[in-house]
Amino acid sequence: MTHYDHLIIGGGMAADAAAHGIHEQDPTASIGILGEEPTSPFPRPALSKKLWTDPDFTVENTALDTVGETGATFHPRTRVVSVDPGSHEVRTQAGGRFGYGRLLVATGGHPRTLTDLPGGDRVLYYRSLTDYRRLRVLAATRPHVAVVGGGYIGTEIAAAMVGEGCRVTLLHPGDVLGEQMFPAELAARFDALFADAGVEVRGGSKVRGGREGPDGVRLELESGDTVQADVVVVGLGVEPATHFLPEEVELADDGGVVVDERLRTSVEDVHAAGDVATYPDPILGRTRVEHVDNATTMGAAAGRIMAGSEETYDHTPMFYSDVLGLGYQAVGTLDSSLETFVERVGDGAVAYYLDDREVRGVLLWDLDEGVEEAKALLARHSRPADPADLAGTITG
């Protein structure tokens, strides 16, 4: 059995940040990283953004040098099946055993899949560097790409594929693209942005399943309609990857691992960080955030804490996307069912999301500045009697 002072389960950006945090706090500590994927930690946002849109970004110059910079030992293609807190031991699907002094769960999530559409040569549940490399090969022939899902991955991949000269059909269940996140006027602009770029946006389309054949993929919709495409990319979000954890580890209602302000789970010497962790945010309350700012900042903090730091995790993360020349940033909850107030600011806009007690979220639409002001506003935990009184709060 191989033993490490600090063992990290997961091979993403939280794992990389944690290894750096451990090495920063204790350069002599041994670090092991167990990753399911065949590749070492890689900046996931680039997979659907700049690797497609910026020629200066390549896999080679974007890759993280986790092993070289931290001295960690990386074990690829290693799927963990159980953790024994009593013996401080992890077991893998291949029969391997790893001992640990302290353990970090940084597994992120597994893509949600369609029951009747398995992944294949032309069906990608887009998540990894392997997926990017495969899609890069497929896109070179300028195929008809059907994208399933109108969230971050779906919209970013649809934008990337139309930029590659592909015919793109974007299938999503809503009436207007982005309507669950954005106020109506911004959702309409978002939808039009894709249509104007040449994407066939098909709202009201819920995919039931499909079948991959030698000449492409046939998608079956709940309406009874079908869509024939050369390639299908599915982006339906992720489920927290916690299948291997013992029942002693407390899970939140959404499946995330519950941690305290020092990122400790309910089991001694087991921590969690990144997309998989449900943590007490100082502004947002207990929450789970699936975005890179949280993964890297929380991962680094977890590593330092595991290696002896007395700090707590007190960072409120932001999130962002860039599609077809539009960039947006946000803090908090973007839920269009909340009361919203939209203010035009320069060439962009600020959208405020309110419930009956406070401002819950802030969207910075096509604006470069304003994240810290948004955090300060949310931290007040109050709301004006008239949402229009928020005008001028954030100037971008």
Side-chain angles (χ1 to χ4, degrees), residues 246-368:
E247 61 182 12
E248 301 98 302
V249 174
E250 181 183 359
L251 300 181
D253 291 342
D254 68 352
V257 180
V258 175
V259 297
D260 64 12
E261 69 280 357
R262 285 179 51 74
L263 306 178
R264 298 173 296 196
T265 72
S266 54
V267 172
E268 186 177 6
D269 293 330
V270 178
H271 293 67
D275 293 5
V276 78
T278 299
Y279 72 101
D281 189 281
I283 295 176
L284 307 178
R286 184 162 287 282
T287 189
R288 188 171 64 83
V289 179
E290 297 176 358
H291 294 282
V292 61
D293 181 27
N294 187 60
T296 55
T297 310
M298 186 187 285
R304 292 191 299 267
I305 290 168
M306 290 167 65
S309 169
E310 295 298 321
E311 70 191 272
T312 58
Y313 184 66
D314 60 0
H315 176 70
T316 296
M318 56 80 72
F319 51 96
Y320 73 99
S321 185
D322 293 294
V323 289
L324 301 173
L326 167 70
Y328 63 86
Q329 308 175 75
V331 181
T333 300
L334 301 192
D335 181 350
S336 61
S337 69
L338 294 169
E339 184 178 8
T340 59
F341 169 66
V342 180
E343 178 188 15
R344 292 187 179 275
V345 177
D347 294 330
V350 178
Y352 301 90
Y353 298 73
L354 310 90
D355 63 16
D356 57 358
R357 294 176 299 173
E358 61 184 327
V359 180
R360 296 278 307 282
V362 177
L363 167 68
L364 307 171
W365 178 275
D366 218 7
L367 296 174
D368 295 329

Side-chain angles (χ1 to χ4, degrees), residues 125-253:
Y125 287 91
Y126 200 82
R127 179 71 175 166
S128 68
L129 180 57
T130 301
D131 296 329
Y132 165 79
R133 285 172 167 155
R134 179 58 189 155
L135 186 56
R136 176 61 79 178
V137 171
L138 292 169
T141 64
R142 292 182 172 81
H144 176 200
V145 181
V147 179
V148 180
Y152 293 99
I153 292 296
T155 54
E156 290 172 2
I157 289 297
M161 292 298 94
V162 79
E164 292 295 307
C166 302
R167 175 188 168 195
V168 180
T169 301
L170 176 56
L171 305 163
H172 70 98
D175 294 325
V176 179
L177 187 63
E179 66 180 6
Q180 292 184 325
M181 285 179 53
F182 304 134
E185 64 181 272
L186 296 182
R189 291 167 62 182
F190 194 64
D191 192 298
L193 182 70
F194 282 81
D196 292 345
V199 176
E200 180 189 3
V201 181
R202 292 186 55 169
S205 299
K206 190 168 184 179
V207 178
R208 180 177 61 195
R211 178 174 298 178
E212 179 178 354
D215 299 322
V217 185
R218 178 186 175 92
L219 294 177
E220 299 172 356
L221 310 185
E222 288 193 351
S223 65
D225 292 341
T226 61
V227 174
Q228 186 72 30
D230 301 308
V231 178
V232 170
V233 180
V234 184
L236 297 175
V238 300
E239 298 285 353
T242 60
H243 58 279
F244 57 89
L245 292 174
E247 61 182 12
E248 301 98 302
V249 174
E250 181 183 359
L251 300 181
D253 291 342

